[in-house]
Amino acid sequence: MKKKKLVTILALSVFSIAAMADDINYSFSLKDWNHNFKQGSKSDYTNGSVFTATAKKDDYFVTASFLLPTTYSLNGTYLSRRDTDIALGWNANSNFSIIGGYKGVSSFQWNSGTYQGDTIFRIAYAGLSGFTSLNQNSFLYGTLTTSLKADKSNLSSTDSKPKFQNYEFGYGYVPNKYLQLSAGYRVQVFNDGHPGNEKAVLSGVIFGATYTP
């Protein structure tokens, strides 16, 4: 129930900013994340598409981000994942932002063609984001988020609460006032809370383009 309230608050914030149409800057980005999934064994590398939309007014912004369905192959087992992020942010200064939001992750598993079930993660998180200019057209950027509270659909009485961290850092180039290009490295770490399970680590290079009308 608390997580539903958090999603509702974030969604209302999105609509509130959209309602104040004056002086709002919008941006849209599409990234390709070439990464693998490691939990004991390691999957082949796969490409995951990440779509992000951001609305910014003064020092505040709202971001919605979606990892489109992505499938990982691990020794005959196939895992399909998709996730959604909704976050609020505040620019503490021109180079540094504080963010907080909600992440929902849905994963589905098959083994030898047989459906093994699904797991739903619900994560409230906070983080920091920043960049520093190298020159007029290029910059370095970095983002760190960590879970404040997390839960999953099949949590048992012997499991501890799941934990989540996300790291991304890289290089950006601005060819003109409408477009930003970036290349970096993203790592996500899931601890599902089950005592016998290793942490799941998703890591790989990420390339993207951001368009600001």
Side-chain angles (χ1 to χ4, degrees), residues 21-208:
D22 294 338
D23 301 322
I24 295 181
N25 296 314
Y26 297 95
S27 64
F28 307 92
S29 75
L30 183 63
K31 292 186 175 183
D32 180 72
W33 186 22
N34 182 253
H35 66 292
N36 64 6
F37 179 101
K38 181 181 180 182
Q39 189 176 31
S41 58
K42 185 185 294 186
S43 77
D44 296 331
Y45 278 86
T46 188
N47 290 302
S49 298
V50 183
F51 176 74
T52 303
T54 301
K56 181 175 182 282
K57 181 176 176 62
D58 299 327
D59 291 328
Y60 300 92
F61 58 90
V62 177
T63 297
S65 183
F66 308 91
L67 173 68
L68 303 183
T70 305
T71 300
Y72 310 92
S73 174
L74 300 97
N75 301 324
T77 297
Y78 293 88
L79 179 70
S80 179
R81 173 195 169 194
R82 64 174 181 266
D83 56 327
T84 301
D85 286 76
I86 302 176
L88 300 176
W90 172 61
N91 294 323
N93 56 49
S94 59
N95 296 83
F96 181 76
S97 302
I98 299 171
I99 55 178
Y102 170 84
K103 184 180 190 70
V105 180
S106 302
S107 63
F108 309 87
Q109 186 170 314
W110 291 263
N111 190 304
S112 302
T114 302
Y115 181 61
Q116 301 292 306
D118 62 357
T119 303
I120 311 298
F121 286 91
R122 297 170 291 269
I123 302 164
Y125 64 86
L128 306 172
S129 180
F131 77 95
T132 182
S133 298
L134 297 176
N135 53 49
Q136 186 176 357
N137 298 100
S138 61
F139 60 92
L140 298 177
Y141 73 90
T143 300
L144 163 65
T145 58
T146 187
S147 57
L148 299 175
K149 188 174 183 180
D151 203 352
K152 66 175 184 177
S153 57
N154 53 0
L155 195 70
S156 72
S157 59
T158 59
D159 291 345
S160 58
K161 288 293 185 180
K163 295 180 180 180
F164 168 79
Q165 293 86 36
N166 178 84
Y167 316 87
E168 183 176 333
F169 54 89
Y171 168 82
Y173 177 70
V174 185
N176 57 57
K177 66 179 182 179
Y178 301 108
L179 186 64
Q180 289 185 2
L181 305 176
S182 63
Y185 195 80
R186 174 181 286 191
V187 180
Q188 292 186 347
V189 181
F190 286 87
N191 183 338
D192 68 4
H194 189 73
N197 289 349
E198 296 183 28
K199 294 179 180 178
V201 179
L202 298 89
S203 60
V205 296
I206 187 164
F207 303 94

